[in-house]
Amino acid sequence: MLDKDCIFCKIIRGEIPSSKVYEDDKMLVFKDIEPKAKVHLLAIPKNHFKLLSEMDKERSEILNYMLKKIPEIANESGLKNGYRLVINQGDDAGQTVFHLHVHILGGETLDW
C-alpha cells in the first residue's frame, strides 16, 4: 500500500518524475537528485514502510528480493569496482524521506 503524502510513493505512482534506472513489480531504482557520489542511486520497495523495525514477512521478502537484485543493477550501472549500500534509519541517521530506501553509491573511491 502506498502513502498519499510520501514523495517516494508519488514517484512510484508517476506523479513526480524521476530518472529511472530499473523497475519491476516489487521495486524501483532511480538516480538521487542530490548525489553524494559519481553514481548515487536509490532503490525503493513499491510497498510503503518507513523503518526496518516495521518489517513483517511480506516486507522482509521484498527487501530480500531487493538485496539480491541490487548487485545486478549496480553492475549494469558501471559499478564493477564496488559500491556502498546505505540504509538510514530515523532522524539521527539523516533519514529525510520516511519510506525505506537503499542508497547505492559508487563510481569512485568513497571516503567515510
Side-chain angles (χ1 to χ4, degrees):
M1 177 175 222
L2 297 177
D3 180 282
K4 69 180 183 73
D5 297 320
C6 170
I7 190 167
F8 286 172
C9 290
K10 289 178 181 182
I11 289 171
I12 291 167
R13 287 192 299 268
E15 296 170 11
I16 296 175
S18 67
S19 296
K20 292 180 186 178
V21 172
Y22 176 82
E23 183 175 18
D24 63 24
D25 62 324
K26 294 179 179 61
M27 68 186 287
L28 173 64
V29 180
F30 55 94
K31 294 179 181 178
D32 193 301
I33 61 169
E34 295 181 16
K36 306 298 185 222
K38 185 175 178 182
V39 175
H40 187 168
L41 308 174
L42 297 174
I44 62 173
K46 287 191 167 179
N47 181 345
H48 178 85
F49 64 105
K50 298 175 185 178
L51 301 165
L52 290 171
S53 60
E54 297 177 3
M55 190 74 60
D56 58 18
K57 184 175 176 14
E58 179 186 357
R59 291 169 174 160
S60 174
E61 289 171 358
I62 291 170
L63 188 57
N64 182 50
Y65 172 83
M66 289 174 60
L67 292 173
K68 287 181 178 179
K69 194 73 176 168
I70 284 172
E72 176 186 322
I73 295 163
N75 188 52
E76 291 172 0
S77 297
L79 302 178
K80 295 172 180 42
N81 289 331
Y83 53 93
R84 179 177 296 158
L85 301 180
V86 177
I87 301 175
N88 296 317
Q89 293 288 279
D91 293 325
D92 285 353
Q95 185 176 8
T96 57
V97 178
F98 285 86
H99 180 124
L100 186 97
H101 55 286
V102 180
H103 294 263
I104 306 165
L105 302 142
E108 62 186 300
T109 302
L110 300 172
D111 294 327
W112 281 103

